[in-house]
Amino acid sequence: MHSVKPIGKREQTKLNNRESILNAAREVFAELGYGATTVRDIIRKTGLASGTFYNYYKSKEEVFEALMDDGMRRIRPRLKADRIRSRNFEEFIRNAFRTYFDYLASDRMTFQIIRRNPASLRVRMDTPEMIAGFEEIREYIEEDIRDGNVPPVDSEYLMAAVVGIAMEIGDRMIKRPELDAKEAADFATTLVLHGFHALPVKTDVKPK
């Protein structure tokens, strides 16, 4: 049995510095928003020297992308677990939506970042971890198509639709006074599987 090699002091310092920068960036982006945030704001929050910051990141754009990758790294294992425990495609889609919406509702810092930076999130969807996460979802869809659980539709378009629905409904959900991840997941799942004709009708809307 191989023993785990202990991490060296230098490597531990690098990890600590990187974590310090990301934690500071989370707070600053959540407080000021992406547009108003400067590298100086992030550095000031870390307490590190500016030279140390630039050893890890060249700009606030790189830091923001690193935060997006970090978020996807947290979600991907949960989505894989959803895939394993789901008995069919409908359960997987419902569980996956619920996992994402629960993540937004429970992680207060992520909640604030997304609430303050929705436009920035939309244009930074091509980071390596994000792309890998989307590709996994497409592969799950293709598995279900091969198994006959889903009609032979365009898996890339369906993946894009699922991701887009999750992003947009999640953005609206976190702006509501009361966050209801289950309601959001049920709505998104029904929309994907059955179209808008199957959605529950709001009873407080009067016809003209």
Side-chain angles (χ1 to χ4, degrees), residues 82-98 144 189 193:
D82 288 336
R83 176 66 176 175
I84 293 171
R85 70 188 177 93
S86 299
R87 293 170 295 179
N88 52 50
F89 182 72
E90 178 174 351
E91 280 193 9
F92 167 62
I93 290 296
R94 188 180 304 277
N95 290 336
F97 278 134
R98 182 64 185 271
D144 277 317
T189 303
L193 296 177

Side-chain angles (χ1 to χ4, degrees), residues 175-192:
K175 293 176 181 177
R176 293 189 171 189
E178 294 184 9
L179 277 67
D180 191 333
K182 182 181 183 303
E183 179 186 37
D186 287 345
F187 184 98
T189 303
T190 302
L191 182 59
V192 168

Side-chain angles (χ1 to χ4, degrees), residues 11-24:
E11 288 74 17
Q12 186 63 55
T13 298
K14 288 182 179 180
L15 288 174
N16 292 343
N17 286 345
R18 191 180 299 275
E19 190 67 19
S20 177
I21 292 169
L22 292 181
N23 286 338

Side-chain angles (χ1 to χ4, degrees), residues 1-137:
M1 185 175 181
H2 296 286
S3 60
V4 179
K5 185 178 179 181
I7 188 170
K9 185 177 180 180
R10 187 173 182 178
E11 288 74 17
Q12 186 63 55
T13 298
K14 288 182 179 180
L15 288 174
N16 292 343
N17 286 345
R18 191 180 299 275
E19 190 67 19
S20 177
I21 292 169
L22 292 181
N23 286 338
R26 282 189 185 91
E27 293 186 31
V28 176
F29 284 133
E31 180 182 352
L32 301 179
Y34 178 83
T37 294
T38 65
V39 168
R40 183 173 295 182
D41 293 324
I42 299 173
I43 293 172
R44 188 181 299 118
K45 196 78 171 178
T46 65
L48 299 172
S50 59
T52 302
F53 174 91
Y54 287 108
N55 284 336
Y56 299 91
Y57 301 103
K58 297 177 182 177
S59 63
K60 73 173 183 179
E61 287 82 3
E62 283 196 1
V63 179
F64 196 86
E65 289 172 3
L67 288 177
M68 294 302 97
D69 273 352
D70 184 62
M72 181 57 86
R73 271 191 292 271
R74 295 173 189 228
I75 292 177
R76 283 177 67 187
R78 303 182 195 180
L79 292 178
K80 188 171 184 179
D82 288 336
R83 176 66 176 175
I84 293 171
R85 70 188 177 93
S86 299
R87 293 170 295 179
N88 52 50
F89 182 72
E90 178 174 351
E91 280 193 9
F92 167 62
I93 290 296
R94 188 180 304 277
N95 290 336
F97 278 134
R98 182 64 185 271
T99 290
Y100 178 66
F101 296 141
D102 277 338
Y103 170 67
L104 296 186
S106 62
D107 189 320
R108 302 303 297 178
M109 196 61 70
T110 298
F111 172 99
Q112 291 296 336
I113 291 174
I114 292 177
R115 188 165 189 171
R116 293 298 302 270
N117 306 279
S120 299
L121 287 171
R122 287 181 176 83
V123 299
R124 283 176 170 76
M125 302 295 288
D126 59 349
T127 63
E129 197 72 27
M130 298 288 277
I131 291 173
F134 297 158
E135 182 65 16
E136 281 185 356
I137 294 173

Side-chain angles (χ1 to χ4, degrees), residues 201-208:
V201 177
K202 296 181 71 173
T203 57
D204 59 344
V205 178
K206 296 181 180 180
K208 292 183 178 180

Side-chain angles (χ1 to χ4, degrees), residues 143-163:
E143 285 178 4
D144 277 317
I145 290 174
R146 288 194 297 269
D147 292 341
N149 299 321
V150 176
V153 299
D154 189 311
S155 61
E156 185 179 16
Y157 279 174
L158 182 54
M159 175 275 290
V162 169
V163 170

